[in-house]
Amino acid sequence: MAGVDRLDAIRKPSLDPLCRLLSSELERVNQLIVQRMQSPVALIPQLAGHIVAGGGKRLRPMLTLGCARLCGYRGGRHIALAAAVEFIHTATLLHDDVVDASDLRRGRDTANAVWGNKPPILVGDFLFSRSFELMVADGSLRILEILSHASSVIAEGEVLQLMTANDTRTSEAAYLAVIQAKTAELFAAASRIGRNLGIAFQLVDDMLDFSAHATELGKSIGNDFRDGKVTLPVLVAFARGDKGERAFWRRTIEEQDQRAGDLQRAIELLERHGALAETLSRARSYAATAIDGLSIFRDGIERRALIDAAGFATERGF
């Protein structure tokens, strides 16, 4: 696409245009989220509120809201469906942090760091149930099919990631299968352009784990490395490395024998072989494909805001 459809190389892409466009609708979504988090079991709203209030970008529900406007929808069903998407996302975050034994998310203590492992798992299940209540209330079997399928695929992706962890023999195809399932599937359920955008988003996440300052990313860097996750930067560096470098990756990733200075050496190897630049390049390619998917719509404030959001996914520092 020409002109407006290309990412502006001078102005850094931002979510701000989409946030401004959807401000009133986002407020309705947030009000519904707070309302549906309520429970007579006091720990549920307390714990759920901890992560919902943690400064998330609300990118997935914004895709639902923005694409509804792009397609000319002027009803009210998209509010509850955007909330359902966010509940699914929040539930997966609660579960992921337990699985990954994460202590920080967006610069705040994770729920499991505050309450231990059991409550976040159970409250995550509660939020999944709330999302299904919203789907059923909408009354569309097609929507129920899309979102329920996404929920099962996300769970499959998380299990698949466990199976590929600590294995430097993992192929890029297997890695992409993981991120398509665990991240891109919910993006795709939120909007049709979301699958490629979700892949781009996760690729950047995997790159930032080795390249961002903790204050920018909102969590400690190197978590994936310490957990032995085989992400694209590692796969690229492993493939391009010599025998000694591959032995380093096997020791640190497969054997989980990590010593002082290993993270810094890992970052140096990634930079030496252009693994971070390669990962960002791939992310930008997927984002460009997502942007191309908007070409069938006429130019307007909605399309431009969504294009900016796609650019933000790859140019963000957090």
Side-chain angles (χ1 to χ4, degrees), residues 7-318:
L7 297 180
D8 189 333
I10 300 174
R11 181 181 59 82
K12 190 172 183 178
S14 169
L15 281 182
D16 291 345
L18 194 59
C19 289
R20 287 193 296 268
L21 178 67
L22 302 173
S23 60
S24 62
E25 291 162 290
L26 270 174
E27 180 59 30
R28 292 169 62 193
V29 171
N30 288 332
Q31 289 173 357
L32 183 58
I33 287 172
V34 171
Q35 175 190 331
R36 291 304 183 108
M37 285 192 315
Q38 298 310 306
S39 166
V41 181
L43 182 59
I44 291 176
Q46 184 182 5
L47 193 152
H50 174 83
I51 189 168
V52 169
K57 294 173 281 297
R58 297 284 197 272
L59 181 54
R60 295 154 189 83
M62 280 201 292
L63 287 175
T64 298
L65 299 175
C67 286
R69 286 182 63 118
L70 182 70
C71 294
Y73 179 68
R74 294 296 179 261
R77 294 167 59 200
H78 62 319
I79 301 298
L81 294 175
V85 167
E86 185 66 3
F87 273 141
I88 293 172
H89 174 55
T90 305
T92 62
L93 293 185
L94 286 168
H95 290 170
D96 287 354
D97 285 342
V98 172
V99 171
D100 295 339
S102 300
D103 295 323
L104 286 176
R105 179 174 289 279
R106 302 167 189 149
R108 304 179 72 209
D109 290 336
T110 57
N112 49 292
V114 177
W115 286 279
N117 287 339
K118 293 180 181 179
I121 291 292
L122 297 174
V123 173
D125 292 343
F126 172 85
L127 296 181
F128 267 125
S129 300
R130 280 293 195 240
S131 72
F132 278 90
E133 288 177 354
L134 290 168
M135 296 177 217
V136 171
D138 179 80
S140 167
L141 285 178
R142 176 59 179 151
I143 286 173
L144 182 60
E145 177 187 12
I146 291 170
L147 290 175
S148 61
H149 177 71
S151 298
S152 64
V153 170
I154 292 166
E156 289 174 341
E158 294 294 346
V159 175
L160 185 58
Q161 181 170 261
L162 286 177
M163 295 172 61
T164 58
N166 312 113
D167 189 355
T168 56
R169 295 170 299 177
T170 300
S171 66
E172 286 192 18
Y175 163 76
L176 284 172
V178 169
I179 66 173
Q180 287 190 55
K182 69 185 286 284
T183 301
E185 188 66 27
L186 187 57
F187 274 83
S191 73
R192 288 295 186 186
I193 67 162
R195 187 174 304 279
N196 287 297
L197 184 56
I199 294 173
F201 194 90
Q202 187 60 54
L203 285 170
V204 171
D205 253 14
D206 293 346
M207 179 197 74
L208 289 174
D209 191 67
F210 289 102
S211 62
H213 296 294
T215 53
E216 293 177 308
L217 189 55
K219 64 178 183 179
S220 302
I221 66 168
N223 283 345
D224 290 347
F225 176 74
R226 283 185 285 270
D227 291 342
K229 291 182 180 178
V230 181
T231 58
L232 185 60
V234 172
L235 288 173
V236 171
F238 185 86
R240 296 176 180 177
D242 59 27
K243 184 177 180 180
E245 292 168 355
R246 292 186 181 187
F248 166 80
W249 291 115
R250 291 192 183 98
R251 172 175 65 79
T252 56
I253 298 295
E254 292 188 0
E255 300 171 19
Q256 286 283 273
D257 176 11
Q258 297 184 8
R259 307 162 189 170
D262 278 348
L263 175 59
Q264 186 55 43
R265 187 186 178 198
I267 293 172
E268 290 170 358
L269 292 177
L270 295 172
E271 291 174 344
R272 178 188 304 170
H273 294 294
L276 300 180
E278 173 70 17
T279 301
L280 180 58
S281 176
R282 302 266 194 102
R284 285 173 171 163
S285 178
Y286 279 106
T289 300
I291 290 172
D292 286 342
L294 296 168
S295 63
I296 62 172
F297 297 96
R298 64 178 179 80
D299 182 31
I301 187 172
E302 292 88 359
R303 190 175 78 165
R304 276 174 270 158
L306 286 164
I307 288 172
D308 224 32
F312 166 81
T314 59
E315 306 308 318
R316 63 198 171 93
F318 58 94

